[in-house]
Amino acid sequence: MAKAAGDGVTRGRSRGTGDNGGAVRRSLSTHWYAWAMVAPVVAVLGVIIGYPLVRGVYLSFTDANERNVARSIGVNEIPATYEFVGLDNYVDAVTGSQFLATLGWTVLWTVSCVAVTFGLGLALANVLNRRIAGRSLYRMLLILPWAVPGFVSVFAWRFLYDERRGMLNQILSGVGMDGIPWLNDPTWAKFSVIAVNVWLGIPFMMVALLGGLQSIPGELYEAAEMDGASAWQRFRHITMPGLRSVSTTVILLSTIWTFNMFPVIFLLTRGGPGEATQILVTQAYKFSFEISPRDFAQSSTWGVLILVLLMVFAAFYRRVLRKQGEVW
């Protein structure tokens, strides 16, 4: 009898496996057109993203640099001589003061930018959600920073921050105040890059939150007002819960974008003065393209660590949301 039961379990498992294979085959036969349309995109992504990612992970376990990688000098082909070093690069990075200091500023930069951007975006979205004169004009003007290419905006801000000829210091001089070394003082440089990134990020945050506000039924506010709820109570118990799904998404996206916001830091300060505004992604770029000899292994190591940190954050963020009843 036990043997029969065992045979039944074995047959059940084989049937389950066969069902899974059959389901895949049925899906391919039924939705072959969709699979055919998706296949080129998957192939392109695999080449553009997959290969560099795998290559970067591999190089992070070696001592590859400008002097020992394969290269061509005229007609001579010099083979690669770098060696596998295991986890040495990761140990050096994680235990070194440079990585920890850069990570600390990167986290502060990310939290500050996301918090200020979300707060200002929410305030502007609430204003534009009301019936005010010239609302369409205000929306267009507030979205303008989003329409201008990022590098153009950063160069414009660099001109405004110029210590001698910048408009900001000219305004200060006009009211009898001393000019501020916006990009030459570590503290002011950090404030400056945060301000520029917030200015660039507000339009996206505002538009996303405005869409969330417009999806909240107006009857809820009318009922709350009839019950005597104050403006703060309506905001706390209707607006914020109604924006929860939108807010969680835009905060996650903004965090990932800001954590890897290369153009603002690189074009505005190049990580200076000194290393004051250097974030992880600009430091990884520096290893590969600015120092001599260029350290490809160290750059790859920092890139992999950035990816791991963002994946851990996304997993933790998702877990917190699921505990709060949000599905994401």
Side-chain angles (χ1 to χ4, degrees):
M1 192 162 182
K3 182 178 179 180
D7 292 341
V9 171
T10 303
R11 287 194 297 270
R13 290 177 178 174
S14 63
R15 283 197 300 270
T17 305
D19 289 344
N20 291 334
V24 173
R25 285 192 297 271
R26 285 194 299 271
S27 176
L28 289 173
S29 61
T30 304
H31 307 290
W32 65 270
Y33 184 79
W35 286 104
M37 296 296 290
V38 170
V41 178
V42 174
V44 171
L45 290 177
V47 174
I48 295 177
I49 299 177
Y51 173 74
L53 178 61
V54 173
R55 178 68 174 172
V57 173
Y58 169 71
L59 288 178
S60 69
F61 293 104
T62 68
D63 61 352
N65 59 49
E66 188 177 14
R67 295 173 179 170
N68 59 21
V69 296
R71 57 198 183 278
S72 300
I73 301 179
V75 296
N76 299 319
E77 296 289 339
I78 301 177
T81 57
Y82 56 82
E83 299 177 351
F84 185 81
V85 295
L87 296 174
D88 290 353
N89 291 326
Y90 291 95
V91 173
D92 293 341
V94 173
T95 59
S97 58
Q98 184 181 26
F99 179 82
L100 297 178
T102 307
L103 176 61
W105 159 239
T106 304
V107 172
L108 177 61
W109 142 269
T110 303
V111 172
S112 301
C113 290
V114 173
V116 176
T117 303
F118 181 81
L120 293 177
L122 180 59
L124 291 172
N126 273 284
V127 172
L128 295 179
N129 194 41
R130 301 177 181 179
R131 296 186 179 277
I132 57 176
R135 182 171 62 173
S136 299
L137 176 62
Y138 296 146
R139 288 183 180 180
M140 183 183 66
L141 293 176
L142 290 171
I143 293 175
L144 186 61
W146 200 11
V148 177
F151 72 93
V152 175
S153 299
V154 174
F155 281 133
W157 275 98
R158 188 178 177 86
F159 175 75
L160 293 175
Y161 282 139
D162 188 270
E163 192 170 352
R164 295 182 179 180
R165 299 179 297 275
M167 185 181 296
L168 296 180
N169 278 349
Q170 288 183 4
I171 294 174
L172 293 177
S173 299
V175 296
M177 299 177 63
D178 295 333
I180 295 175
W182 298 102
L183 303 180
N184 297 319
D185 177 78
T187 302
W188 281 110
K190 292 179 179 179
F191 170 81
S192 300
V193 294
I194 290 175
V196 173
N197 196 62
V198 168
W199 186 79
L200 291 172
I202 282 178
F204 165 76
M205 192 71 70
M206 180 194 69
V207 170
L209 294 176
L210 181 59
L213 286 173
Q214 293 177 344
S215 67
I216 300 176
E219 294 80 3
L220 297 178
Y221 292 101
E222 295 174 1
E225 191 173 359
M226 292 179 61
D227 290 340
S230 63
W232 167 249
Q233 289 174 328
R234 295 196 298 271
F235 176 80
R236 179 182 176 184
H237 297 289
I238 298 177
T239 303
M240 291 309 296
L243 288 177
R244 183 174 298 170
S245 59
V246 176
S247 299
T248 53
T249 301
V250 296
I251 288 175
L252 176 64
L253 293 175
S254 183
T255 299
I256 294 174
W257 291 339
T258 305
F259 199 86
N260 286 325
M261 184 54 71
F262 178 85
V264 171
I265 300 295
F266 182 78
L267 297 177
L268 200 61
T269 65
R270 298 188 73 90
E275 302 289 331
T277 58
Q278 200 83 263
I279 60 175
L280 292 176
V281 67
T282 57
Q283 184 62 52
Y285 172 88
K286 184 176 180 180
F287 283 134
S288 273
F289 296 99
E290 293 186 356
I291 66 173
S292 182
R294 293 183 291 174
D295 194 340
F296 303 128
Q298 194 72 1
S299 177
S300 299
T301 301
W302 282 52
V304 173
L305 289 173
I306 292 171
L307 177 61
V308 170
L309 288 171
L310 290 175
M311 290 176 64
V312 170
F313 168 76
F316 175 77
Y317 190 76
R318 183 173 183 270
R319 184 176 181 182
V320 171
L321 292 181
R322 292 187 67 179
K323 286 184 178 180
Q324 295 178 354
E326 293 289 332
V327 178
W328 176 79

